[in-house]
Amino acid sequence: MYLRSLLSIAIGAFLITSCAERVNKKLSETELELETTKEVQGIKETAELPTVETAFEFIKESGGIEEYRCTLNDLTILLLEDHSAPVATFMVTYHVGSRNEAVGHTGSTHLLEHMMFKGTTKYNKENGNDITSILQSIGAQINATTWNDRTNYYALLPSEHLNKVIEIEADRMRNLLLKDEDRQPEMTVVRNEFEQGENDPFSALNKNIWATAYQAHPYHHSTIGWRSDIEGVSTERLKQFYDIYYWPNNATVTVIGDFEKEETLQKILDEYGSIPKSPNPIPEMYTTEPEQEGARRLIVKRSGETGIVGIAHKTPEGLNEDYFTLQVLARILGEGKSSRLYKKLVDKGLATSLFMWDYPFKDSGLFITYAFLTPETKHEEVEKIILDEYELIKTNGITDQELARAKGQTKAQLAYVRDGSFSVASVLNEAIAIGDWTNYAKFLEKTNTVTKEDVQEITKKYLIEDKSTTGHFVPIKGSGGGGIMPPQKNRANQFYNFSRESDDAMDNRQHSGANIADNIVEFEPVKGLRLLTMKTSVQDVVTIRGSILGGDVFSPQANRMIADLTAAMLDKGTRSKSKFEIADRLESVGATMSFSSGQQHVRFSIKCLKDDIPLVLDLLAEQLREPAFNKEDLSTLKTRLKGNLKRDKKNTGKMAGGEFIRELYPKDHPNYRYPIDERIEMIEKIDPASLRNFHKTYYGLGNMIMTAVGDVDGEYFSREVEKVFKGWKTSPLSKWVNTMQANDVTATKKYVTIKDKTSADVYIGLPIGIDRDHKDYYPLMIGTYILGGNFSARLMQTVRDEQGLTYGIYSQIQGAENGNDGFWTIWSSFAPQLLQTGYEASLEQLEKWSTEGITVAELEAKKTTITGSYKVGLATTRGLASQILSNAERGHPNEYLDQYPGIINELTLEQVNSAIKEYIDIDKLVFVAAGSVGKTGKPLE
């Protein structure tokens, strides 16, 4: 749980600031009179720097990671060489988070993190070399995150460009411009981020649980801060914060991946060696939370359709040895379909999902169980079940099997963490934050020492009523707003998205109440543009989704990447505005806008405040109608795309998925995926003229659909749309009809060898010959869900939890959109040495499922899960807008959005079992695995 949580949280980047809880420290007691000399500004003048041998002191090694200290300024450096792929991660972690903020200045750490991208004296927009453009132009994936105990900045990039990111990070450690004219628009960006979090019931409940559990300690407030503080903090205050905490002796540099140690240390010395230590000691946060003297309770009431229960208990600081046992306990309670609470809540239809929060912090944290309730489930019933399970463990302990399973899950998770430089750096980042980076390296060893008695005693010690804080989210129904979006747990996103248009959006998302269709208002602002709006109770926020035809299937046969790059260039500038001008206008009001290309459609996605609707619609229309296709911007984009594709060649999931789909479909079938090298070659051949010609020929009205959901007046929105799209030409395109069929496959096994990988990705499946409009689609879909749709499905129940062979194994139907004949697949991941065993275990379950079918009990249980989950996800403006759009693109009436749960509930056992027997032929299965295995599937030495 802990390692998975670390990785998912780190990758989530800015989502962290809206969902996870953070804390604070009193800056007001550390008013420092900083000198204004060159030394203070980090430009210490020295005649000559020492050598690598004299400037760096080796401290220790653990888990292959080496620690060094720069003797010039006490900068800490962590290094782990890994030459398995030509990429590297460079990360800087500062020991400052929301726990270091004062009342009145909450959120300053996070706002400063945003400002760190606004420019330095050397790298800025005025000079034409701003930080973001430089790093993205070399194919880097960049971001930053803020949390309770730390702030980090990172880049995952081709290793030949490592020196550039070292230069930039060293420069902005002490040379940030921090201009008030930059802070003003960035504040609105952060404020809009705050508003988006406030729109989510889970975030609201989570925030209030932490605020109630802590009274004195700064973990009381979230990382993003309070709204008034976001709006009120001054640029001078941010400068002071920067000058107190951003110094080498308060930072750790982590380098993981393809680099040479001596060369990298020399570059770190060159760039960081001249920066002095802080002129004053870094202030310590000394506030401790008083002993809690009784249970605390709270209720949050907001728009929504389903409730949430959260039960939190105080736990020790992150470096306390008890934390390893607490994380074992969390796995036993809520990790997987065989866990105690999944069996009693999810399998019983009382909860759509369960989330265990067992994250360690530098100071005392919280152990939280979150249950996301199905419709009509009572909070009190679920709360009692959770507390009763705690008491059972206190009284009777746990079993040998439960303990072994938890340890096996930990081992598997460690394998995942090590598979990639960014994964390692991300987990080290969190270990650094709590005070000891070696905590990561010794995690498995410590977990393996945990006993059954330890788990029982730890439950008695910490899960007691007087140390608890219980919160209920109670939905106010019938309003259509306010989504419940529990944190992702690495499920559906493990699947490789072959079709590039969501096959199962309808099946795995949810809606906020009956009669959605009655609340949709339709307009035709201009001929050839269908507008669907829906007002909800969400205040100020509007989500816009839309599409036009012009996706991948319309690309010229000579180059199938043209449609993709045409869409990718839409936000890179127009005839009258540069990409930076467009970005500045959007960011100044906290709006977001993006474009993407799928099989049939070019899609756009927007989130904004209602007052900014005219602005975003104007920019949307301009980018769709008048893209510049600038040569330099195209060159930069091509570099980034090729860098990403090259990295994909070392990605076991992408490589296995690509080979799998090419076995199933012929070239030029919509579901076919070209090999990476061929895509790179296509990208290299694309020039601005080819994109301009494609855009001029195919983009336009006639097939355009737009949805707007949230705090929106339909009549007003329609008038604004008419203003900006009036007069646009009509596209000649109509929906593309696929006439190609899948290959007539035979039993096939194929292995893709990728060296130095600790896990292998596996795809097993076959084409099914039907699309999602076929009468057998939903029967086969729900049968597939019973086999491997969630934690309580058969595959997870056996292959994962009972046999401990894999961390995740799922089944799904994909590629059935747009009239395409789709495919059925099982995805899983195994250690190379368990690959054959895992395959045999999977096949055993598959054979039983395909010959014996499913049971009535399984069918009824999964109907509840699917329809309950469906209702939950459409409770947000994003979910509603996306689903309304997808439904319209498929040609369904709006009423279908309300009919879907009924369609699922009406499925019979005979329909499901007949579909399984009709379409799943285990004698024709295609098997593809990618990882550190040879051509016969044996692990590499």
Side-chain angles (χ1 to χ4, degrees):
M1 291 281 295
Y2 162 60
L3 291 169
R4 187 205 58 210
S5 297
L6 293 187
L7 191 54
S8 63
I9 289 167
I11 293 174
F14 293 108
L15 290 179
I16 290 174
T17 62
S18 64
C19 292
E21 295 303 321
R22 309 27 181 172
V23 284
N24 180 3
K25 146 120 189 192
K26 293 190 176 181
L27 273 173
S28 56
E29 299 176 359
T30 61
E31 302 283 349
L32 301 177
E33 296 180 0
L34 298 173
E35 303 175 46
T36 57
T37 63
K38 286 186 177 181
E39 180 172 338
V40 169
Q41 295 304 314
I43 318 173
K44 182 179 180 180
E45 295 179 345
T46 57
E48 184 177 348
L49 289 174
T51 63
V52 168
E53 290 74 16
T54 60
F56 294 103
E57 175 188 4
F58 174 76
I59 303 300
K60 58 179 174 287
E61 182 273 338
S62 180
I65 302 164
E66 296 180 343
E67 178 184 353
Y68 293 86
R69 181 182 69 88
C70 180
T71 58
L72 303 176
N73 53 24
D74 288 341
L75 176 70
T76 298
I77 302 101
L78 301 179
L79 303 177
L80 176 62
E81 290 186 64
D82 178 3
H83 301 286
S84 62
V87 297
T89 295
F90 185 87
M91 183 177 291
V92 184
T93 304
Y94 291 93
H95 297 272
V96 57
S98 54
R99 76 190 285 271
N100 303 101
E101 295 167 351
V103 173
H105 307 290
T106 64
S108 295
T109 317
H110 175 243
L111 182 54
L112 177 60
E113 170 222 300
H114 277 237
M115 295 296 294
M116 288 286 284
F117 288 90
K118 292 300 182 181
T120 68
T121 52
K122 182 178 181 180
Y123 299 103
N124 56 71
K125 290 183 179 180
E126 288 73 16
N127 292 342
N129 64 346
D130 65 283
I131 293 170
T132 300
S133 295
I134 289 178
L135 292 177
Q136 291 186 339
S137 71
I138 58 177
Q141 297 179 10
I142 62 171
N143 217 324
T145 70
T146 305
W147 211 359
N148 291 354
D149 306 314
R150 54 78 182 156
T151 307
N152 73 315
Y153 302 83
Y154 63 83
L156 172 63
L157 72 169
S159 50
E160 65 265 26
H161 299 300
L162 179 60
N163 284 350
K164 175 54 68 175
V165 72
I166 295 175
E167 292 173 14
I168 289 175
E169 289 297 351
D171 183 58
R172 67 175 169 181
M173 177 178 274
R174 290 305 318 141
N175 297 316
L176 193 65
L177 290 175
L178 267 176
K179 298 186 293 186
D180 192 64
E181 56 264 37
D182 289 332
R183 182 195 64 80
Q184 291 286 350
E186 199 63 26
M187 180 276 291
T188 65
V189 172
V190 174
R191 184 176 61 190
N192 184 242
E193 184 180 356
F194 171 87
E195 291 162 342
Q196 292 177 5
E198 286 293 288
N199 192 39
D200 176 50
F202 170 74
S203 296
L205 179 62
N206 192 49
K207 178 186 69 176
N208 279 282
I209 284 177
W210 285 80
T212 304
Y214 291 93
Q215 296 180 339
H217 193 283
Y219 286 171
H220 170 83
H221 72 269
S222 65
T223 294
I224 202 167
W226 304 114
R227 184 188 184 107
S228 57
D229 290 352
I230 295 170
E231 296 173 334
V233 67
S234 67
T235 304
E236 287 304 313
R237 193 63 179 181
L238 294 178
K239 288 180 179 178
Q240 184 186 40
F241 204 82
Y242 176 71
D243 285 334
I244 291 173
Y245 292 105
Y246 278 65
W247 298 94
N249 51 310
N250 198 44
T252 298
V253 164
T254 301
V255 190
I256 310 289
D258 183 30
F259 66 92
E260 298 296 333
K261 179 172 68 176
E262 293 300 318
E263 294 178 6
T264 300
L265 283 174
Q266 182 62 59
K267 184 62 177 178
I268 291 172
L269 175 60
D270 293 343
E271 301 302 328
Y272 284 93
S274 62
I275 305 175
K277 294 180 4 179
S278 60
N280 297 283
I282 304 297
E284 293 291 335
M285 199 290 291
Y286 51 78
T287 301
T288 59
E289 180 68 16
E291 188 76 6
Q292 186 171 335
E293 298 176 318
R296 299 169 185 170
R297 302 186 65 87
L298 66 125
I299 296 175
V300 176
K301 292 185 178 181
R302 290 194 182 183
S303 301
E305 286 293 321
T306 57
I308 313 173
V309 171
I311 304 175
H313 290 82
K314 294 280 177 55
T315 54
E317 65 275 11
L319 294 181
N320 190 296
E321 293 289 312
D322 286 347
Y323 242 109
F324 298 103
T325 307
L326 282 167
Q327 285 149 19
V328 170
L329 172 63
R331 289 187 183 277
I332 292 168
L333 284 170
E335 176 72 4
K337 54 78 189 142
S338 63
S339 64
R340 296 186 175 208
L341 292 176
Y342 266 101
K343 289 179 179 178
K344 295 193 174 182
L345 295 176
V346 180
D347 285 355
K348 300 296 184 182
L350 298 175
T352 59
S353 60
L354 186 77
F355 176 60
M356 302 299 301
W357 176 278
D358 59 328
Y359 197 91
F361 291 122
K362 187 176 182 66
D363 301 321
S364 171
L366 293 178
F367 183 101
I368 315 177
T369 298
Y370 281 111
F372 299 84
L373 311 186
T374 52
E376 309 306 325
T377 297
K378 301 298 183 183
H379 294 74
E380 294 78 12
E381 180 183 8
V382 169
E383 181 181 337
K384 184 177 186 303
I385 290 172
I386 295 170
L387 294 176
D388 285 349
E389 201 59 42
Y390 294 170
E391 293 303 313
L392 280 175
I393 294 177
K394 293 178 189 178
T395 302
N396 302 324
I398 62 170
T399 66
D400 290 330
Q401 183 181 10
E402 286 177 316
L403 181 61
R405 185 182 298 119
K407 291 181 178 180
Q409 291 166 343
T410 299
K411 182 178 180 180
Q413 188 59 48
L414 282 168
Y416 279 90
V417 168
R418 297 288 289 192
D419 191 11
S421 62
F422 180 71
S423 301
V424 179
S426 297
V427 177
L428 278 174
N429 178 54
E430 308 307 337
I432 291 165
I434 65 175
D436 182 5
W437 67 265
T438 66
N439 202 49
Y440 152 69
K442 63 188 180 185
F443 190 85
L444 182 59
E445 175 188 353
K446 290 290 187 180
T447 300
N448 283 336
T449 65
V450 175
T451 67
K452 293 188 299 179
E453 292 73 22
D454 292 335
V455 175
Q456 186 175 21
E457 288 304 311
I458 218 72
T459 308
K460 295 177 182 178
K461 183 176 181 179
Y462 293 107
L463 302 190
I464 58 179
E465 183 179 8
D466 284 347
K467 309 297 181 186
S468 69
T469 301
T470 301
H472 291 179
F473 170 74
V474 178
I476 302 174
K477 297 186 178 183
S479 58
I484 298 175
M485 300 295 291
Q488 288 294 319
K489 305 210 26 135
N490 284 337
R491 182 158 63 86
N493 60 347
Q494 294 285 2
F495 286 100
Y496 188 71
N497 188 1
F498 301 104
S499 70
R500 302 186 63 216
E501 301 213 11
S502 174
D503 289 330
D504 296 300
M506 187 72 72
D507 309 324
N508 292 322
R509 300 178 191 267
Q510 302 104 30
H511 92 74
S512 59
N515 301 320
I516 291 178
D518 291 344
N519 293 305
I520 296 174
V521 183
E522 291 204 36
F523 303 89
E524 189 179 25
V526 294
K527 187 177 180 180
L529 194 161
R530 182 186 180 193
L531 172 64
L532 304 97
T533 68
M534 181 174 177
K535 183 174 179 60
T536 73
S537 62
V538 175
Q539 293 185 354
D540 298 326
V541 178
V542 179
T543 294
I544 303 167
R545 295 286 189 271
S547 68
I548 59 173
L549 292 178
D552 296 344
V553 295
F554 300 104
S555 283
Q557 190 132 13
N559 194 323
R560 290 300 193 181
M561 295 297 293
I562 284 182
D564 222 5
L565 266 72
T566 301
M569 285 293 291
L570 292 175
D571 63 354
K572 303 299 187 293
T574 67
R575 296 174 193 169
S576 61
K577 294 183 183 68
S578 71
K579 60 184 179 183
F580 297 117
E581 290 174 317
I582 294 171
D584 285 343
R585 292 193 180 193
L586 291 171
E587 291 173 2
S588 68
V589 296
T592 61
M593 183 182 300
S594 62
F595 301 90
S596 63
S597 176
Q599 274 190 6
Q600 296 259 9
H601 299 94
V602 175
R603 291 197 174 102
F604 51 88
S605 174
I606 300 170
K607 195 151 198 172
C608 67
L609 301 180
K610 67 175 182 179
D611 291 343
D612 302 316
I613 286 173
L615 170 67
V616 298
L617 288 178
D618 183 65
L619 291 175
L620 169 67
E622 184 173 343
Q623 290 176 96
L624 283 173
R625 299 177 68 167
E626 301 177 352
F629 298 116
N630 178 275
K631 182 178 181 180
E632 291 74 23
D633 289 325
L634 177 59
S635 177
T636 298
L637 174 64
K638 289 164 66 174
T639 299
R640 293 171 54 195
L641 291 176
K642 289 185 290 184
N644 289 336
L645 287 171
K646 289 176 181 177
R647 281 194 293 273
D648 286 349
K649 296 177 79 170
K650 296 295 183 179
N651 183 307
T652 56
K654 296 289 181 67
M655 294 300 290
E659 289 296 328
F660 174 75
I661 206 67
R662 286 187 286 275
E663 290 290 329
L664 267 56
Y665 293 99
K667 195 173 185 178
D668 290 331
H669 188 285
N671 287 340
Y672 181 82
R673 293 293 282 172
Y674 285 86
I676 288 174
D677 288 340
E678 289 187 31
R679 279 183 273 164
I680 291 175
E681 185 179 352
M682 292 177 191
I683 290 171
E684 289 174 342
K685 293 179 179 179
I686 291 175
D687 58 17
S690 61
L691 301 185
R692 290 191 187 101
N693 182 63
F694 184 83
H695 177 269
K696 181 179 180 181
T697 303
Y698 296 121
Y699 276 45
L701 298 170
N703 50 65
M704 188 171 183
I705 304 171
M706 186 183 298
T707 66
V709 178
D711 194 355
V712 56
D713 180 312
E715 295 282 354
Y716 167 76
F717 193 92
S718 180
R719 291 194 297 271
E720 293 300 316
V721 169
E722 180 184 11
K723 289 179 185 178
V724 297
F725 283 104
K726 186 177 182 180
W728 196 18
K729 67 181 180 65
T730 300
S731 169
L733 295 178
S734 57
K735 197 166 186 178
W736 193 81
V737 179
N738 177 37
T739 58
M740 301 188 71
Q741 294 181 339
N743 296 326
D744 184 12
V745 299
T746 57
T748 303
K749 270 193 175 183
K750 190 169 186 178
Y751 298 93
V752 180
T753 301
I754 305 176
K755 294 182 179 180
D756 300 319
K757 297 295 182 182
T758 56
S759 64
D761 276 73
V762 176
Y763 285 87
I764 305 170
L766 75 173
I768 56 175
I770 62 174
D771 66 8
R772 67 174 299 121
D773 290 327
H774 193 279
K775 66 181 180 61
D776 292 332
Y777 175 83
Y778 284 121
L780 184 60
M781 181 275 290
I782 197 169
T784 301
Y785 194 91
I786 289 168
L787 175 67
N790 64 0
F791 279 111
S792 61
R794 291 187 182 187
L795 288 170
M796 286 290 283
Q797 201 172 40
T798 53
V799 181
R800 181 186 188 272
D801 284 316
E802 291 180 9
Q803 301 177 53
L805 295 174
T806 180
Y807 180 69
I809 179 167
Y810 305 97
S811 58
Q812 193 174 37
I813 298 173
Q814 289 190 293
E817 286 288 339
N818 304 313
N820 297 329
D821 49 334
F823 63 93
W824 174 95
T825 184
I826 293 174
W827 170 88
S828 58
S829 180
F830 301 101
Q833 63 270 25
L834 295 176
L835 182 57
Q836 185 60 31
T837 305
Y839 169 69
E840 292 172 357
S842 305
L843 192 60
E844 179 183 357
Q845 295 303 313
L846 177 55
E847 288 177 341
K848 182 178 180 180
W849 174 77
S850 63
T851 57
E852 299 178 11
I854 64 167
T855 67
V856 172
E858 287 177 317
L859 178 59
E860 294 307 311
K862 288 301 181 283
K863 284 180 179 180
T864 301
T865 299
I866 291 173
T867 56
S869 296
Y870 176 72
K871 291 177 181 178
V872 172
L874 284 182
T876 64
T877 58
R878 179 181 63 181
L880 277 168
S882 298
Q883 198 56 262
I884 293 170
L885 174 64
S886 295
N887 191 64
E889 288 175 344
R890 291 173 181 142
H892 293 159
N894 294 332
E895 289 75 15
Y896 190 85
L897 294 165
D898 298 306
Q899 295 166 357
Y900 175 73
I903 293 172
I904 297 300
N905 284 325
E906 290 173 2
L907 294 174
T908 68
L909 186 68
E910 181 182 359
Q911 287 176 315
V912 176
N913 285 335
S914 295
I916 293 171
K917 291 181 179 180
E918 175 70 21
Y919 298 101
I920 308 303
D921 186 347
I922 62 174
D923 293 327
K924 291 186 175 182
L925 290 176
V926 174
F927 169 95
V928 178
S932 294
V933 295
K935 292 183 179 180
T936 62
K938 293 183 178 180
L940 299 178
E941 295 293 331

